[in-house]
Amino acid sequence: MMKIDVKKIENWDEIIKRHWEYIENNVKPKIASIKNEDMKEFLTDNLEVIIKGTKYEWDTKIIFQYKQLIKNKESNNNLEEQLQEIIYYFLSSKKKLIDKILEELENKGYNKCDRYQDFQSKLKKWARESEKNEVCRKDKETFLKMQYEQEWYIYEFNKEISKVFDYKKFTTGDKKIEWGRHQLLSMLGIDVCPYCNRNYITYYDEGDMQKTTADLDHYYPKSKYPFLALSLYNFVPSCQICNSRFKLDKEIYSLYPYEEGFGNNAKFRTKFCKNKDEWDINYLLGLEGDFELEIAINENIDEDMKKKIEGSKELFHLEAIYDSHKEYVREIIKKIYCYNDERIEELAQEYPELFKSNQEVIEMVFGNYMIDEERMIQRPLSKLTQDMVKEFRVSFKENTDKIL
């Protein structure tokens, strides 16, 4: 929802330098030991683009080449992609009962895939023959190996690549490691989750180390794209809710924080619920909570951007989780009523040593950044605050005569 502008990150060049040193010391030696010569050549030739490159470079070249190296060369259609999606989710599911796993897959919409019925049939038959109603990770791998040889090969191949691009080692809190997840997140200096703009992702000292409460999400899931597990532009600092509850290994066409946020393409707005005058006095004064909070997409933007915004709304359940902030919106409305343009101007003139502009007074009153998006990413609910202030300051001016 909020854009991460690396040009505004003071330490970005130092982050690239330190991360590349880590790659040279910990990844390059492992690439040399890969037995598959084609894969070894691919990773050696493209390592710098993989680690330092952009999403555009991965999308137009790297990801396609990697998939070609591990796919069944006789297969040319989209069915294998569907099956891999089902299998990845099957393997990552925390459910143990087979019926519950299938129910979960169906709830996620995988039953609409052409390959789902085949997968469901094989799993149920395998469960009957092996007399298993409950499965652990090892059982899942056994089923995959027996029923889907090509997918098993891809799964095993990805596991081997995961050992080369060892994210688990990168996340260690070992004091001997001079560069890892905590150090990277601390140097990024991003204080609020860019996916939801709700939760702080803060830093703290533990002995000689600085640690962080943030998760490090992989925009491209590392389970499916293990060679991107240590790629800088694949790292998105995020809160645990967005990363570990909502996103997981899902691939939904959505906003990519290093390129775009909501900006002016989408905004929060209130929607009056009652079947009476649109501008009810209690509603407009923040005394009425009978309204809905929605994310409205700018109708004038292109269809591709609309799909990305819809994807982000769906992936992170944004409208549902923001519904809990209606009380906060009511407080904003009350402040707007108390601090009209005249009062804002009065404060700015009375305290020139504190405020350089009326906008700074407004930010003080509402306790949030609302002017520059690069600053807004440092405060939770800044996008919501900005949009509500814009909506209701205009509403007051347009509707005062109607309600008073």
Side-chain angles (χ1 to χ4, degrees), residues 14-233:
E14 180 65 19
I15 288 171
I16 294 175
K17 178 184 174 183
R18 293 185 64 178
H19 195 62
W20 184 247
E21 288 174 354
Y22 178 88
I23 297 298
E24 287 187 314
N25 293 329
N26 295 276
V27 175
K28 273 190 174 182
K30 293 180 181 178
I31 292 177
S33 64
I34 293 176
K35 295 179 181 179
N36 185 305
E37 292 298 326
D38 290 338
M39 181 59 71
K40 183 193 297 185
E41 182 181 355
F42 165 74
L43 294 176
T44 300
D45 292 346
N46 295 286
L47 185 61
E48 194 158 351
V49 176
I50 289 170
I51 300 301
K52 301 180 188 179
T54 63
K55 179 178 179 292
Y56 175 80
E57 291 174 295
W58 304 334
D59 287 347
T60 55
K61 179 182 177 183
I62 303 299
I63 290 176
F64 174 78
Q65 289 184 7
Y66 182 82
K67 287 183 175 181
Q68 288 297 111
L69 285 171
I70 65 174
K71 72 179 287 189
N72 182 344
K73 290 184 172 56
E74 295 179 0
S75 171
N76 257 336
N77 54 50
N78 199 32
L79 295 179
E80 280 64 32
E81 291 285 338
Q82 291 183 4
L83 180 58
Q84 286 174 36
E85 283 285 324
I86 293 168
I87 287 172
Y88 278 123
Y89 200 92
F90 168 68
L91 291 169
S92 63
S93 173
K94 294 181 180 179
K95 306 287 186 184
K96 292 186 177 181
L97 291 173
I98 287 177
D99 287 344
K100 290 294 182 182
I101 293 173
L102 290 173
E103 180 182 335
E104 190 175 43
L105 285 166
E106 290 173 10
N107 289 338
K108 297 297 180 181
Y110 287 105
N111 57 323
K112 298 176 183 177
C113 298
D114 294 333
R115 295 299 300 266
Y116 177 76
Q117 296 302 324
D118 175 70
F119 176 84
Q120 180 191 53
S121 176
K122 286 184 176 180
L123 180 59
K124 286 185 173 181
K125 181 180 178 182
W126 174 82
R128 288 195 303 270
E129 292 175 351
S130 57
E131 298 182 346
K132 287 184 179 289
N133 293 317
E134 188 173 293
V135 290
C136 61
R137 178 78 180 198
K138 188 175 181 180
D139 294 325
K140 292 177 181 179
E141 292 179 351
T142 299
F143 163 73
L144 181 59
K145 187 175 182 179
M146 291 175 61
Q147 301 295 330
Y148 293 101
E149 183 179 352
Q150 172 63 17
E151 281 64 33
W152 170 255
Y153 168 76
I154 292 174
Y155 172 70
E156 285 290 282
F157 202 103
N158 281 339
K159 278 176 60 175
E160 288 302 309
I161 300 302
S162 295
K163 293 175 183 177
V164 176
F165 297 86
D166 191 350
Y167 180 71
K168 186 176 181 179
K169 180 180 179 180
F170 184 71
T171 61
T172 182
D174 191 339
K175 294 181 180 180
K176 296 178 182 179
I177 302 297
E178 296 183 357
W179 184 249
R181 181 175 73 90
H182 291 296
Q183 292 87 343
L184 170 62
L185 285 166
S186 296
M187 289 185 72
L188 281 172
I190 296 172
D191 296 330
V192 177
C193 176
Y195 283 139
C196 67
N197 190 226
R198 294 174 68 243
N199 297 314
Y200 274 115
I201 44 179
T202 51
Y203 313 93
Y204 64 96
D205 292 326
E206 187 175 277
D208 298 333
M209 288 191 66
Q210 189 174 54
K211 292 192 173 183
T212 175
T213 60
D215 278 8
L216 198 53
D217 174 56
H218 292 77
Y219 183 82
Y220 285 108
K222 60 183 181 296
S223 60
K224 302 175 186 177
Y225 307 95
F227 62 101
L228 296 176
L230 296 175
S231 302
L232 280 174
Y233 281 100

Side-chain angles (χ1 to χ4, degrees), residues 351-389:
Y351 300 101
E353 70 278 11
L354 297 180
F355 308 113
K356 296 178 182 178
S357 66
N358 287 9
Q359 285 289 348
E360 289 190 4
V361 179
I362 292 173
E363 288 188 336
M364 182 276 294
V365 169
F366 295 99
N368 224 317
Y369 297 137
M370 292 181 285
I371 303 172
D372 300 321
E373 190 165 344
E374 57 263 25
R375 294 179 69 212
M376 288 172 61
I377 201 171
Q378 305 302 334
R379 291 278 180 91
L381 304 179
S382 57
K383 173 64 174 169
L384 174 63
T385 306
Q386 181 192 60
D387 290 343
M388 291 298 98
V389 169

Side-chain angles (χ1 to χ4, degrees), residues 327-344:
E327 184 64 29
Y328 177 77
V329 172
R330 289 175 63 191
E331 291 179 4
I332 291 176
I333 299 172
K334 290 176 183 178
K335 287 180 180 179
I336 292 172
Y337 179 72
C338 295
Y339 292 90
N340 57 23
D341 287 349
E342 290 75 18
R343 181 57 178 152
I344 295 296

